[in-house]
Amino acid sequence: MSFYVTTPIYYVNAAPHLGHAYSTIGADILARHQRQRGEDVFFLTGTDEHGEPVALAADNEGVTPRELADRNAARFQELMPRINASNDFFIRTSDPEHHAKVQEILTRVKDNGHVYEGTYEGWYCPRCADFKTDAELEDGNRCPIHHIELTRETEDNWFFRLSTFEEPLKRLYEERPDFVMPRHRYNEALSFIRGGLQDVSLTRAKIRWGVEVPWDPEQVFYVWFDALLNYYTALSYAREGEDLVDRFWPATFHVIGKDILKFHCVFWPAMLMAADLPLPEHVFVHGYLLMDGEKMSKSLGNVLDPFEVMDRFGTDALRFYCFRDVTFGQDGSVSTTQFEARYETELANELGNLASRTTNMVARYRDGFVPEVELDAALAASFEGLPEEVAGLLDRADITPALEAIWQRVRRLNAYVADTEPWQLAKDDSRAGELDRALASLIEGVRVIAVLLHPYLPDTVEKLQAALGTDEVEYAAAGFGARRLERVEKVEPLFPRFAPA
Ligand code: MSP
């Protein structure tokens, strides 16, 4: 089966921050997991380069939008390998192939009768690149997100008949209760639709930086429609000479943050219906990582730099922490203190020690040879059904509960070490059989944990598996007792003490 997962494409008006890394790592975990299961996976990320936010930022810096876009897109491209994102393509909406495809699809939307000429009058936030209703404004006609004062704008635009999709969208939500996940976001989107939909501007007249409207070259497409279409256009040119649309469209998961719910859960399905294209299977909406209670963003200035975090703690520590401390799908606070605590107690002590103690003992007591004996039945029982449980959770993008299920077994293995006390067994020759069983069972547990943790901690698992003498991460190997390792080596420290800042 095919599995197509996307991240939001990121604005190039600022440098990457932890929020961007968060969405991308979330999508990456899903992509890696599905690859383990042998699915045909395509994972897309990229940059959103048009529109007023970028044009304004470029103006402020005294460079052209393209210069700013090139400079910052490069920083996002650099971020991907650093966070170990296994994306199959990186789209830039300034790609000429994207332009051509956007023009083709939106012309079809017009030909299908969903576009008309009109005049827009209302509030507009250039930082959001979004129109605001009176009800949404804060006191003093301010943007509720950026707190800047907004002006009323009047513009002759081409409009998209969003209102005519109110009923079809309600039907969609009725028929597909998992179109938007988690449930509270589904409810939010549905109540937005039930509140009544108004037509929206499809084009902008005052901006030059964007995809030109083929039937009215004085205008460019409103950046959101150009941006949303990236999920579809990328498939037509990601592989030279190959069109991946039939293979991967519709997308399985669009992973997004809650700030862009309206665009993905309302505008996007309506636009696809208007273009006669199939709808994605799921939009997964995650929450915000908060620092001091405010959404982390460049404009608010409280940015936790993912590059700095990774320099200090390593990539996997970042990947782990983001999904461990805050449930994917909910808001939650992150902090350096919590980060350090998790690193030490869970990564270094629980996982790191388990791996080193286990491999150490086999090296010491059995010369590295894994005893060929029957495995401990009670330990085996506590792993029963685990791969299915994790797969079931990750099929719904429940990344945090899946990690918790795996981590319970990490703890179970540590408890097993404490209970069996192999170092005591080693003192008594008459208990050699018990020692054999304890060591073989522990190694098997660690092997399984490694397979299951691969999507979360790819680097760590690679190191651990090198010591275990295997590189198999296929899901068939995720069952306790599914494989038998022969020889292991002492693992290098997986989570060394970090240097003080
Ligand atoms: N360019 C649009 C998206 C277009 S998608 C067709 C955009 N870009 S953005 O650069 O502002 O990135 C927004 C996304 O980054 C959010 O939807 C979210 O996925 C992620 N995050 C940004 N800040 C975040 C947090 N503080 N916490 C979690 N995720 C955050 O909007």
Side-chain angles (χ1 to χ4, degrees):
M1 280 233 307
S2 76
F3 181 89
Y4 177 26
V5 59
T6 68
T7 73
I9 49 170
Y10 305 111
Y11 285 134
V12 286
N13 56 341
H17 61 66
L18 190 60
H20 307 125
Y22 184 57
S23 307
T24 314
I25 296 169
D28 185 60
I29 290 170
L30 302 182
R32 285 177 184 269
H33 169 77
Q34 296 293 338
R35 283 192 204 105
Q36 286 187 288
R37 283 163 58 184
E39 306 299 353
D40 186 22
V41 173
F42 197 80
F43 170 23
L44 180 72
T45 189
T47 40
D48 183 356
E49 307 195 358
H50 296 133
E52 218 157 344
V54 176
L56 278 178
D59 250 16
N60 286 342
E61 291 193 33
V63 296
T64 66
R66 182 168 298 280
E67 278 166 344
L68 183 73
D70 284 346
R71 192 207 310 151
N72 279 337
R75 298 170 79 174
F76 280 96
Q77 278 168 323
E78 228 175 83
L79 174 73
M80 301 308 160
R82 283 293 306 279
I83 57 180
N84 234 328
S86 60
N87 55 299
D88 295 289
F89 189 59
F90 187 101
I91 188 170
R92 297 184 56 185
T93 54
S94 57
D95 294 340
E97 297 94 332
H98 171 76
H99 277 226
K101 226 25 190 194
V102 167
Q103 290 175 327
E104 176 194 317
I105 294 165
L106 293 178
T107 301
R108 194 192 316 156
V109 169
K110 179 168 181 285
D111 292 346
N112 286 349
H114 303 297
V115 176
Y116 64 94
E117 212 168 358
T119 303
Y120 176 80
E121 210 222 308
W123 304 102
Y124 181 79
C125 173
R127 301 268 279 279
C128 292
D130 194 9
F131 303 97
K132 307 281 168 184
T133 62
D134 286 310
E136 282 173 312
L137 294 191
E138 277 183 357
D139 282 352
N141 300 328
R142 289 173 188 281
C143 165
I145 296 166
H146 294 97
H147 315 302
I148 54 168
E149 206 178 314
L150 306 185
T151 47
R152 272 185 94 75
E153 298 213 0
T154 310
E155 223 181 79
D156 289 336
N157 288 163
W158 293 89
F159 279 72
F160 172 53
R161 282 186 210 283
L162 182 64
S163 59
T164 59
F165 290 92
E166 199 173 308
E167 288 311 315
L169 285 172
K170 284 182 194 159
R171 272 201 303 281
L172 163 72
Y173 276 70
E174 206 170 292
E175 283 161 17
R176 290 173 48 186
D178 57 0
F179 177 63
V180 175
M181 305 192 314
R183 190 68 189 180
H184 64 283
R185 297 298 173 200
Y186 167 96
N187 292 335
E188 186 182 330
L190 183 56
S191 70
F192 183 89
I193 296 163
R194 285 194 178 135
L197 299 181
Q198 290 177 4
D199 295 344
V200 290
S201 290
L202 177 71
T203 69
R204 300 296 318 271
K206 290 182 186 147
I207 301 169
R208 298 268 32 95
W209 177 236
V211 177
E212 191 174 281
V213 177
W215 63 85
D216 183 354
E218 292 303 301
Q219 308 230 359
V220 297
F221 286 112
Y222 174 39
V223 62
W224 266 102
F225 289 110
D226 147 20
L228 287 162
L229 278 165
N230 91 88
Y231 302 131
Y232 184 79
T233 65
L235 294 177
S236 65
Y237 70 96
R239 294 284 170 274
E240 223 186 305
E242 207 182 334
D243 191 340
L244 300 174
V245 170
D246 285 345
R247 191 160 145 206
F248 290 110
W249 193 261
T252 319
F253 269 105
H254 292 312
V255 171
I256 62 159
K258 66 175 185 180
D259 49 338
I260 53 181
L261 175 138
K262 176 181 79 182
F263 299 105
H264 285 81
C265 303
V266 183
F267 289 22
W268 180 224
M271 181 55 63
L272 287 168
M273 288 177 192
D276 299 321
L277 291 172
L279 308 188
E281 281 172 46
H282 313 285
V283 179
F284 186 91
V285 186
H286 67 68
Y288 286 161
L289 296 180
L290 307 162
M291 290 197 75
D292 309 318
E294 278 260 42
K295 179 193 167 199
M296 198 167 36
S297 76
K298 192 77 189 168
S299 38
L300 293 167
N302 52 357
V303 179
L304 191 59
D305 182 354
F307 291 102
E308 269 173 46
V309 171
M310 288 184 294
D311 281 345
R312 223 175 128 204
F313 297 88
T315 301
D316 281 354
L318 177 77
R319 293 177 63 105
F320 177 78
Y321 177 72
C322 287
F323 298 94
R324 187 79 177 133
D325 230 18
V326 178
T327 300
F328 198 49
Q330 258 137 60
D331 290 337
S333 299
V334 293
S335 72
T336 320
T337 323
Q338 267 300 103
F339 204 113
E340 289 177 4
R342 291 270 185 193
Y343 183 94
E344 214 153 299
T345 53
E346 299 190 327
L347 290 177
N349 292 346
E350 294 178 353
L351 180 60
N353 275 352
L354 173 69
S356 67
R357 282 207 291 189
T358 310
T359 53
N360 240 345
M361 290 191 294
V362 178
R364 182 137 149 225
Y365 304 134
R366 294 292 181 263
D367 262 343
F369 289 98
V370 183
E372 280 185 60
V373 292
E374 207 168 302
L375 303 175
D376 188 291
L379 189 65
S382 59
F383 277 79
E384 193 141 336
L386 179 62
E388 296 77 10
E389 183 188 353
V390 168
L393 289 166
L394 290 178
D395 278 340
R396 301 201 313 266
D398 279 332
I399 290 179
T400 307
L403 179 55
E404 173 57 23
I406 302 167
W407 216 259
Q408 280 171 12
R409 274 51 172 212
V410 171
R411 293 189 173 143
R412 174 74 177 88
L413 289 169
N414 279 318
Y416 184 78
V417 176
D419 288 347
T420 53
E421 297 188 312
W423 50 93
Q424 297 294 355
L425 300 175
K427 288 182 190 157
D428 184 348
D429 280 349
S430 72
R431 305 185 76 184
E434 282 174 70
L435 178 60
D436 279 343
R437 186 170 62 213
L439 295 178
S441 304
L442 278 169
I443 287 292
E444 180 57 5
V446 171
R447 188 194 62 76
V448 166
I449 294 294
V451 175
L452 292 173
L453 281 180
H454 158 75
Y456 295 88
L457 308 174
D459 281 346
T460 304
V461 166
E462 206 180 307
K463 280 189 222 159
L464 174 55
Q465 286 195 323
L468 298 178
T470 175
D471 59 5
E472 195 184 11
V473 293
E474 282 73 25
Y475 218 63
F480 191 92
R483 298 287 184 270
R484 195 156 275 273
L485 298 174
E486 284 173 20
R487 184 132 202 221
V488 301
E489 282 165 15
K490 189 175 166 337
V491 73
E492 61 180 289
L494 296 175
F495 299 98
R497 293 209 161 264
F498 49 85

